PDB file of all heavy atoms in Angstrom:
ATOM      1  N   ASN A   1       2.273 -11.815  -8.034  1.00 95.00           N
ATOM      2  CA  ASN A   1       2.940 -11.047  -6.993  1.00 95.00           C
ATOM      3  C   ASN A   1       3.344  -9.661  -7.406  1.00 95.00           C
ATOM      4  O   ASN A   1       4.328  -9.062  -6.848  1.00 95.00           O
ATOM      5  CB  ASN A   1       4.138 -11.846  -6.390  1.00 95.00           C
ATOM      6  CG  ASN A   1       3.704 -13.018  -5.565  1.00 95.00           C
ATOM      7  OD1 ASN A   1       2.542 -13.070  -5.125  1.00 95.00           O
ATOM      8  ND2 ASN A   1       4.588 -13.982  -5.384  1.00 95.00           N
ATOM      9  N   ALA A   2       2.668  -9.108  -8.387  1.00 96.00           N
ATOM     10  CA  ALA A   2       2.877  -7.703  -8.772  1.00 96.00           C
ATOM     11  C   ALA A   2       1.521  -7.006  -8.822  1.00 96.00           C
ATOM     12  O   ALA A   2       0.616  -7.470  -9.466  1.00 96.00           O
ATOM     13  CB  ALA A   2       3.556  -7.615 -10.143  1.00 96.00           C
ATOM     14  N   TYR A   3       1.399  -5.912  -8.072  1.00 97.00           N
ATOM     15  CA  TYR A   3       0.109  -5.288  -7.858  1.00 97.00           C
ATOM     16  C   TYR A   3       0.253  -3.788  -8.106  1.00 97.00           C
ATOM     17  O   TYR A   3       1.280  -3.193  -7.880  1.00 97.00           O
ATOM     18  CB  TYR A   3      -0.386  -5.529  -6.467  1.00 97.00           C
ATOM     19  CG  TYR A   3      -0.479  -7.007  -6.098  1.00 97.00           C
ATOM     20  CD1 TYR A   3       0.607  -7.649  -5.554  1.00 97.00           C
ATOM     21  CD2 TYR A   3      -1.658  -7.715  -6.306  1.00 97.00           C
ATOM     22  CE1 TYR A   3       0.575  -8.993  -5.283  1.00 97.00           C
ATOM     23  CE2 TYR A   3      -1.723  -9.094  -6.012  1.00 97.00           C
ATOM     24  CZ  TYR A   3      -0.595  -9.708  -5.480  1.00 97.00           C
ATOM     25  OH  TYR A   3      -0.702 -11.029  -5.170  1.00 97.00           O
ATOM     26  N   THR A   4      -0.880  -3.204  -8.467  1.00 97.00           N
ATOM     27  CA  THR A   4      -0.980  -1.767  -8.641  1.00 97.00           C
ATOM     28  C   THR A   4      -2.225  -1.271  -7.977  1.00 97.00           C
ATOM     29  O   THR A   4      -3.288  -1.872  -8.119  1.00 97.00           O
ATOM     30  CB  THR A   4      -1.006  -1.351 -10.130  1.00 97.00           C
ATOM     31  OG1 THR A   4       0.232  -1.709 -10.744  1.00 97.00           O
ATOM     32  CG2 THR A   4      -1.184   0.172 -10.286  1.00 97.00           C
ATOM     33  N   MET A   5      -2.092  -0.165  -7.225  1.00 98.00           N
ATOM     34  CA  MET A   5      -3.241   0.439  -6.659  1.00 98.00           C
ATOM     35  C   MET A   5      -3.429   1.788  -7.390  1.00 98.00           C
ATOM     36  O   MET A   5      -2.543   2.693  -7.288  1.00 98.00           O
ATOM     37  CB  MET A   5      -3.112   0.720  -5.168  1.00 98.00           C
ATOM     38  CG  MET A   5      -4.364   1.312  -4.541  1.00 98.00           C
ATOM     39  SD  MET A   5      -4.385   1.227  -2.736  1.00 98.00           S
ATOM     40  CE  MET A   5      -3.116   2.432  -2.293  1.00 98.00           C
ATOM     41  N   GLN A   6      -4.512   1.892  -8.168  1.00 98.00           N
ATOM     42  CA  GLN A   6      -4.853   3.077  -8.896  1.00 98.00           C
ATOM     43  C   GLN A   6      -5.661   4.015  -7.954  1.00 98.00           C
ATOM     44  O   GLN A   6      -6.659   3.549  -7.427  1.00 98.00           O
ATOM     45  CB  GLN A   6      -5.625   2.752 -10.153  1.00 98.00           C
ATOM     46  CG  GLN A   6      -6.075   3.975 -10.978  1.00 98.00           C
ATOM     47  CD  GLN A   6      -4.899   4.687 -11.614  1.00 98.00           C
ATOM     48  OE1 GLN A   6      -3.936   4.074 -11.998  1.00 98.00           O
ATOM     49  NE2 GLN A   6      -5.059   6.012 -11.708  1.00 98.00           N
ATOM     50  N   MET A   7      -5.206   5.210  -7.816  1.00 98.00           N
ATOM     51  CA  MET A   7      -5.853   6.144  -6.933  1.00 98.00           C
ATOM     52  C   MET A   7      -6.433   7.320  -7.719  1.00 98.00           C
ATOM     53  O   MET A   7      -5.658   8.054  -8.359  1.00 98.00           O
ATOM     54  CB  MET A   7      -4.877   6.676  -5.893  1.00 98.00           C
ATOM     55  CG  MET A   7      -4.126   5.558  -5.117  1.00 98.00           C
ATOM     56  SD  MET A   7      -3.010   6.155  -3.841  1.00 98.00           S
ATOM     57  CE  MET A   7      -1.770   6.974  -4.852  1.00 98.00           C
ATOM     58  N   ASN A   8      -7.730   7.458  -7.737  1.00 98.00           N
ATOM     59  CA  ASN A   8      -8.413   8.465  -8.527  1.00 98.00           C
ATOM     60  C   ASN A   8      -9.101   9.494  -7.621  1.00 98.00           C
ATOM     61  O   ASN A   8      -9.340   9.212  -6.435  1.00 98.00           O
ATOM     62  CB  ASN A   8      -9.472   7.820  -9.436  1.00 98.00           C
ATOM     63  CG  ASN A   8      -8.877   6.812 -10.369  1.00 98.00           C
ATOM     64  OD1 ASN A   8      -7.817   7.051 -10.994  1.00 98.00           O
ATOM     65  ND2 ASN A   8      -9.472   5.653 -10.517  1.00 98.00           N
ATOM     66  N   ASN A   9      -9.414  10.631  -8.206  1.00 98.00           N
ATOM     67  CA  ASN A   9     -10.090  11.688  -7.463  1.00 98.00           C
ATOM     68  C   ASN A   9      -9.417  11.931  -6.085  1.00 98.00           C
ATOM     69  O   ASN A   9     -10.079  11.944  -5.052  1.00 98.00           O
ATOM     70  CB  ASN A   9     -11.558  11.345  -7.265  1.00 98.00           C
ATOM     71  CG  ASN A   9     -12.369  12.503  -6.692  1.00 98.00           C
ATOM     72  OD1 ASN A   9     -12.015  13.656  -6.851  1.00 98.00           O
ATOM     73  ND2 ASN A   9     -13.483  12.169  -6.104  1.00 98.00           N
ATOM     74  N   LEU A  10      -8.118  12.089  -6.148  1.00 98.00           N
ATOM     75  CA  LEU A  10      -7.340  12.295  -4.926  1.00 98.00           C
ATOM     76  C   LEU A  10      -7.702  13.576  -4.194  1.00 98.00           C
ATOM     77  O   LEU A  10      -8.036  14.585  -4.844  1.00 98.00           O
ATOM     78  CB  LEU A  10      -5.853  12.186  -5.229  1.00 98.00           C
ATOM     79  CG  LEU A  10      -5.323  10.817  -5.483  1.00 98.00           C
ATOM     80  CD1 LEU A  10      -3.985  10.841  -6.162  1.00 98.00           C
ATOM     81  CD2 LEU A  10      -5.218  10.026  -4.220  1.00 98.00           C
ATOM     82  N   LYS A  11      -7.622  13.523  -2.904  1.00 98.00           N
ATOM     83  CA  LYS A  11      -7.959  14.678  -2.038  1.00 98.00           C
ATOM     84  C   LYS A  11      -6.768  15.046  -1.187  1.00 98.00           C
ATOM     85  O   LYS A  11      -5.904  14.207  -0.942  1.00 98.00           O
ATOM     86  CB  LYS A  11      -9.141  14.301  -1.142  1.00 98.00           C
ATOM     87  CG  LYS A  11     -10.364  13.786  -1.866  1.00 98.00           C
ATOM     88  CD  LYS A  11     -11.413  13.287  -0.876  1.00 98.00           C
ATOM     89  CE  LYS A  11     -12.630  12.742  -1.626  1.00 98.00           C
ATOM     90  NZ  LYS A  11     -13.659  12.294  -0.673  1.00 98.00           N
ATOM     91  N   PRO A  12      -6.678  16.248  -0.726  1.00 97.00           N
ATOM     92  CA  PRO A  12      -5.544  16.650   0.079  1.00 97.00           C
ATOM     93  C   PRO A  12      -5.377  15.747   1.307  1.00 97.00           C
ATOM     94  O   PRO A  12      -4.230  15.455   1.719  1.00 97.00           O
ATOM     95  CB  PRO A  12      -5.910  18.074   0.515  1.00 97.00           C
ATOM     96  CG  PRO A  12      -6.690  18.578  -0.617  1.00 97.00           C
ATOM     97  CD  PRO A  12      -7.524  17.395  -1.068  1.00 97.00           C
ATOM     98  N   GLU A  13      -6.461  15.224   1.842  1.00 97.00           N
ATOM     99  CA  GLU A  13      -6.366  14.318   2.997  1.00 97.00           C
ATOM    100  C   GLU A  13      -5.795  12.958   2.663  1.00 97.00           C
ATOM    101  O   GLU A  13      -5.538  12.174   3.559  1.00 97.00           O
ATOM    102  CB  GLU A  13      -7.715  14.164   3.705  1.00 97.00           C
ATOM    103  CG  GLU A  13      -8.895  13.819   2.760  1.00 97.00           C
ATOM    104  CD  GLU A  13      -9.675  15.004   2.337  1.00 97.00           C
ATOM    105  OE1 GLU A  13      -9.040  16.047   1.959  1.00 97.00           O
ATOM    106  OE2 GLU A  13     -10.920  14.897   2.270  1.00 97.00           O
ATOM    107  N   ASP A  14      -5.581  12.680   1.399  1.00 98.00           N
ATOM    108  CA  ASP A  14      -4.915  11.443   0.980  1.00 98.00           C
ATOM    109  C   ASP A  14      -3.388  11.566   1.095  1.00 98.00           C
ATOM    110  O   ASP A  14      -2.678  10.611   0.824  1.00 98.00           O
ATOM    111  CB  ASP A  14      -5.279  11.041  -0.431  1.00 98.00           C
ATOM    112  CG  ASP A  14      -6.772  10.667  -0.573  1.00 98.00           C
ATOM    113  OD1 ASP A  14      -7.268   9.977   0.274  1.00 98.00           O
ATOM    114  OD2 ASP A  14      -7.388  11.061  -1.589  1.00 98.00           O
ATOM    115  N   THR A  15      -2.884  12.766   1.352  1.00 98.00           N
ATOM    116  CA  THR A  15      -1.473  12.957   1.489  1.00 98.00           C
ATOM    117  C   THR A  15      -0.908  12.126   2.607  1.00 98.00           C
ATOM    118  O   THR A  15      -1.423  12.171   3.729  1.00 98.00           O
ATOM    119  CB  THR A  15      -1.183  14.475   1.753  1.00 98.00           C
ATOM    120  OG1 THR A  15      -1.533  15.241   0.586  1.00 98.00           O
ATOM    121  CG2 THR A  15       0.319  14.689   2.028  1.00 98.00           C
ATOM    122  N   ALA A  16       0.094  11.315   2.267  1.00 98.00           N
ATOM    123  CA  ALA A  16       0.656  10.372   3.298  1.00 98.00           C
ATOM    124  C   ALA A  16       1.798   9.588   2.616  1.00 98.00           C
ATOM    125  O   ALA A  16       2.011   9.704   1.431  1.00 98.00           O
ATOM    126  CB  ALA A  16      -0.432   9.413   3.774  1.00 98.00           C
ATOM    127  N   VAL A  17       2.497   8.858   3.463  1.00 98.00           N
ATOM    128  CA  VAL A  17       3.423   7.840   2.963  1.00 98.00           C
ATOM    129  C   VAL A  17       2.635   6.541   2.920  1.00 98.00           C
ATOM    130  O   VAL A  17       2.026   6.155   3.926  1.00 98.00           O
ATOM    131  CB  VAL A  17       4.668   7.714   3.853  1.00 98.00           C
ATOM    132  CG1 VAL A  17       5.577   6.612   3.311  1.00 98.00           C
ATOM    133  CG2 VAL A  17       5.428   9.049   3.881  1.00 98.00           C
ATOM    134  N   TYR A  18       2.642   5.916   1.788  1.00 98.00           N
ATOM    135  CA  TYR A  18       1.959   4.664   1.556  1.00 98.00           C
ATOM    136  C   TYR A  18       2.896   3.481   1.602  1.00 98.00           C
ATOM    137  O   TYR A  18       3.967   3.499   0.956  1.00 98.00           O
ATOM    138  CB  TYR A  18       1.202   4.695   0.236  1.00 98.00           C
ATOM    139  CG  TYR A  18      -0.006   5.584   0.257  1.00 98.00           C
ATOM    140  CD1 TYR A  18       0.123   6.999   0.299  1.00 98.00           C
ATOM    141  CD2 TYR A  18      -1.319   5.047   0.240  1.00 98.00           C
ATOM    142  CE1 TYR A  18      -1.003   7.818   0.330  1.00 98.00           C
ATOM    143  CE2 TYR A  18      -2.414   5.894   0.249  1.00 98.00           C
ATOM    144  CZ  TYR A  18      -2.271   7.258   0.279  1.00 98.00           C
ATOM    145  OH  TYR A  18      -3.380   8.071   0.344  1.00 98.00           O
ATOM    146  N   TYR A  19       2.499   2.447   2.307  1.00 98.00           N
ATOM    147  CA  TYR A  19       3.310   1.199   2.433  1.00 98.00           C
ATOM    148  C   TYR A  19       2.486   0.020   1.951  1.00 98.00           C
ATOM    149  O   TYR A  19       1.311  -0.120   2.301  1.00 98.00           O
ATOM    150  CB  TYR A  19       3.678   0.993   3.901  1.00 98.00           C
ATOM    151  CG  TYR A  19       4.486   2.107   4.551  1.00 98.00           C
ATOM    152  CD1 TYR A  19       3.872   3.176   5.123  1.00 98.00           C
ATOM    153  CD2 TYR A  19       5.885   2.036   4.506  1.00 98.00           C
ATOM    154  CE1 TYR A  19       4.586   4.163   5.726  1.00 98.00           C
ATOM    155  CE2 TYR A  19       6.657   3.076   5.079  1.00 98.00           C
ATOM    156  CZ  TYR A  19       5.984   4.153   5.693  1.00 98.00           C
ATOM    157  OH  TYR A  19       6.737   5.126   6.250  1.00 98.00           O
ATOM    158  N   CYS A  20       3.107  -0.847   1.216  1.00 98.00           N
ATOM    159  CA  CYS A  20       2.457  -2.099   0.906  1.00 98.00           C
ATOM    160  C   CYS A  20       2.974  -3.165   1.819  1.00 98.00           C
ATOM    161  O   CYS A  20       4.106  -3.118   2.295  1.00 98.00           O
ATOM    162  CB  CYS A  20       2.601  -2.531  -0.584  1.00 98.00           C
ATOM    163  SG  CYS A  20       4.301  -2.919  -1.069  1.00 98.00           S
ATOM    164  N   LYS A  21       2.087  -4.093   2.098  1.00 98.00           N
ATOM    165  CA  LYS A  21       2.440  -5.202   3.001  1.00 98.00           C
ATOM    166  C   LYS A  21       2.005  -6.501   2.329  1.00 98.00           C
ATOM    167  O   LYS A  21       0.824  -6.638   1.945  1.00 98.00           O
ATOM    168  CB  LYS A  21       1.709  -5.047   4.353  1.00 98.00           C
ATOM    169  CG  LYS A  21       2.096  -6.150   5.352  1.00 98.00           C
ATOM    170  CD  LYS A  21       1.227  -6.061   6.590  1.00 98.00           C
ATOM    171  CE  LYS A  21      -0.127  -6.705   6.367  1.00 98.00           C
ATOM    172  NZ  LYS A  21      -0.961  -6.759   7.623  1.00 98.00           N
ATOM    173  N   GLY A  22       2.911  -7.429   2.231  1.00 97.00           N
ATOM    174  CA  GLY A  22       2.593  -8.761   1.693  1.00 97.00           C
ATOM    175  C   GLY A  22       2.576  -9.753   2.807  1.00 97.00           C
ATOM    176  O   GLY A  22       3.440  -9.742   3.695  1.00 97.00           O
ATOM    177  N   ARG A  23       1.607 -10.689   2.710  1.00 97.00           N
ATOM    178  CA  ARG A  23       1.515 -11.700   3.763  1.00 97.00           C
ATOM    179  C   ARG A  23       1.626 -13.057   3.114  1.00 97.00           C
ATOM    180  O   ARG A  23       0.929 -13.336   2.081  1.00 97.00           O
ATOM    181  CB  ARG A  23       0.178 -11.599   4.555  1.00 97.00           C
ATOM    182  CG  ARG A  23       0.099 -12.519   5.715  1.00 97.00           C
ATOM    183  CD  ARG A  23      -1.088 -12.177   6.615  1.00 97.00           C
ATOM    184  NE  ARG A  23      -1.158 -13.061   7.772  1.00 97.00           N
ATOM    185  CZ  ARG A  23      -0.528 -12.892   8.880  1.00 97.00           C
ATOM    186  NH1 ARG A  23       0.307 -11.865   9.027  1.00 97.00           N
ATOM    187  NH2 ARG A  23      -0.693 -13.732   9.917  1.00 97.00           N
ATOM    188  N   LEU A  24       2.468 -13.880   3.640  1.00 96.00           N
ATOM    189  CA  LEU A  24       2.686 -15.223   3.079  1.00 96.00           C
ATOM    190  C   LEU A  24       2.970 -16.163   4.228  1.00 96.00           C
ATOM    191  O   LEU A  24       3.944 -15.968   4.984  1.00 96.00           O
ATOM    192  CB  LEU A  24       3.841 -15.243   2.075  1.00 96.00           C
ATOM    193  CG  LEU A  24       4.178 -16.559   1.429  1.00 96.00           C
ATOM    194  CD1 LEU A  24       3.003 -17.074   0.563  1.00 96.00           C
ATOM    195  CD2 LEU A  24       5.419 -16.480   0.576  1.00 96.00           C
ATOM    196  N   LEU A  25       2.155 -17.199   4.332  1.00 95.00           N
ATOM    197  CA  LEU A  25       2.326 -18.240   5.353  1.00 95.00           C
ATOM    198  C   LEU A  25       2.512 -17.661   6.721  1.00 95.00           C
ATOM    199  O   LEU A  25       3.381 -18.068   7.542  1.00 95.00           O
ATOM    200  CB  LEU A  25       3.577 -19.115   4.977  1.00 95.00           C
ATOM    201  CG  LEU A  25       3.462 -19.802   3.612  1.00 95.00           C
ATOM    202  CD1 LEU A  25       4.780 -20.541   3.316  1.00 95.00           C
ATOM    203  CD2 LEU A  25       2.291 -20.728   3.570  1.00 95.00           C
ATOM    204  N   GLY A  26       1.705 -16.684   7.040  1.00 95.00           N
ATOM    205  CA  GLY A  26       1.711 -16.107   8.358  1.00 95.00           C
ATOM    206  C   GLY A  26       2.728 -15.052   8.634  1.00 95.00           C
ATOM    207  O   GLY A  26       2.768 -14.501   9.741  1.00 95.00           O
ATOM    208  N   LYS A  27       3.554 -14.736   7.653  1.00 96.00           N
ATOM    209  CA  LYS A  27       4.608 -13.709   7.853  1.00 96.00           C
ATOM    210  C   LYS A  27       4.331 -12.491   6.974  1.00 96.00           C
ATOM    211  O   LYS A  27       3.877 -12.618   5.844  1.00 96.00           O
ATOM    212  CB  LYS A  27       5.962 -14.297   7.508  1.00 96.00           C
ATOM    213  CG  LYS A  27       6.442 -15.396   8.443  1.00 96.00           C
ATOM    214  CD  LYS A  27       7.834 -15.889   8.116  1.00 96.00           C
ATOM    215  CE  LYS A  27       8.268 -16.983   9.071  1.00 96.00           C
ATOM    216  NZ  LYS A  27       9.628 -17.455   8.769  1.00 96.00           N
ATOM    217  N   ASN A  28       4.623 -11.348   7.569  1.00 97.00           N
ATOM    218  CA  ASN A  28       4.417 -10.072   6.851  1.00 97.00           C
ATOM    219  C   ASN A  28       5.711  -9.537   6.340  1.00 97.00           C
ATOM    220  O   ASN A  28       6.711  -9.586   7.059  1.00 97.00           O
ATOM    221  CB  ASN A  28       3.746  -9.065   7.778  1.00 97.00           C
ATOM    222  CG  ASN A  28       2.310  -9.445   8.180  1.00 97.00           C
ATOM    223  OD1 ASN A  28       1.593 -10.033   7.399  1.00 97.00           O
ATOM    224  ND2 ASN A  28       1.958  -9.150   9.391  1.00 97.00           N
ATOM    225  N   SER A  29       5.654  -8.959   5.189  1.00 97.00           N
ATOM    226  CA  SER A  29       6.830  -8.229   4.647  1.00 97.00           C
ATOM    227  C   SER A  29       6.335  -6.859   4.166  1.00 97.00           C
ATOM    228  O   SER A  29       5.220  -6.763   3.664  1.00 97.00           O
ATOM    229  CB  SER A  29       7.470  -8.968   3.504  1.00 97.00           C
ATOM    230  OG  SER A  29       7.939 -10.225   3.876  1.00 97.00           O
ATOM    231  N   TRP A  30       7.163  -5.832   4.377  1.00 98.00           N
ATOM    232  CA  TRP A  30       6.740  -4.461   4.104  1.00 98.00           C
ATOM    233  C   TRP A  30       7.599  -3.855   3.004  1.00 98.00           C
ATOM    234  O   TRP A  30       8.801  -4.108   2.926  1.00 98.00           O
ATOM    235  CB  TRP A  30       6.843  -3.597   5.335  1.00 98.00           C
ATOM    236  CG  TRP A  30       5.820  -3.911   6.385  1.00 98.00           C
ATOM    237  CD1 TRP A  30       5.922  -4.888   7.342  1.00 98.00           C
ATOM    238  CD2 TRP A  30       4.580  -3.300   6.568  1.00 98.00           C
ATOM    239  NE1 TRP A  30       4.804  -4.886   8.127  1.00 98.00           N
ATOM    240  CE2 TRP A  30       3.937  -3.905   7.682  1.00 98.00           C
ATOM    241  CE3 TRP A  30       3.875  -2.241   5.945  1.00 98.00           C
ATOM    242  CZ2 TRP A  30       2.662  -3.526   8.131  1.00 98.00           C
ATOM    243  CZ3 TRP A  30       2.619  -1.854   6.382  1.00 98.00           C
ATOM    244  CH2 TRP A  30       2.019  -2.524   7.462  1.00 98.00           C
ATOM    245  N   GLY A  31       6.976  -3.030   2.206  1.00 97.00           N
ATOM    246  CA  GLY A  31       7.688  -2.227   1.214  1.00 97.00           C
ATOM    247  C   GLY A  31       8.362  -1.048   1.930  1.00 97.00           C
ATOM    248  O   GLY A  31       8.115  -0.800   3.116  1.00 97.00           O
ATOM    249  N   GLN A  32       9.142  -0.300   1.135  1.00 97.00           N
ATOM    250  CA  GLN A  32       9.928   0.799   1.732  1.00 97.00           C
ATOM    251  C   GLN A  32       9.138   2.084   1.943  1.00 97.00           C
ATOM    252  O   GLN A  32       9.576   2.984   2.638  1.00 97.00           O
ATOM    253  CB  GLN A  32      11.146   1.080   0.869  1.00 97.00           C
ATOM    254  CG  GLN A  32      10.882   1.923  -0.376  1.00 97.00           C
ATOM    255  CD  GLN A  32      10.337   1.143  -1.553  1.00 97.00           C
ATOM    256  OE1 GLN A  32       9.892  -0.038  -1.426  1.00 97.00           O
ATOM    257  NE2 GLN A  32      10.394   1.743  -2.723  1.00 97.00           N
ATOM    258  N   GLY A  33       7.940   2.097   1.366  1.00 97.00           N
ATOM    259  CA  GLY A  33       7.101   3.292   1.467  1.00 97.00           C
ATOM    260  C   GLY A  33       7.281   4.238   0.315  1.00 97.00           C
ATOM    261  O   GLY A  33       8.413   4.339  -0.232  1.00 97.00           O
TER     262      GLY A  33
END
């Protein structure tokens, strides 16, 4: 339950707020962004 997303060769269009979402037994939980 610990994950990392490595982002390489980033482009200006990748600019955003990124949110992680975990799903367990049909329920979603979101990170703070």
Side-chain angles (χ1 to χ4, degrees):
N1 290 340
Y3 304 88
T4 295
M5 184 166 71
Q6 178 68 34
M7 306 182 294
N8 302 315
N9 190 22
L10 284 162
K11 306 175 181 180
E13 51 263 43
D14 293 318
T15 295
V17 177
Y18 286 71
Y19 300 88
C20 65
K21 183 188 81 174
R23 187 167 180 84
L24 179 64
L25 301 177
K27 294 183 180 180
N28 294 324
S29 299
W30 290 86
Q32 79 277 16

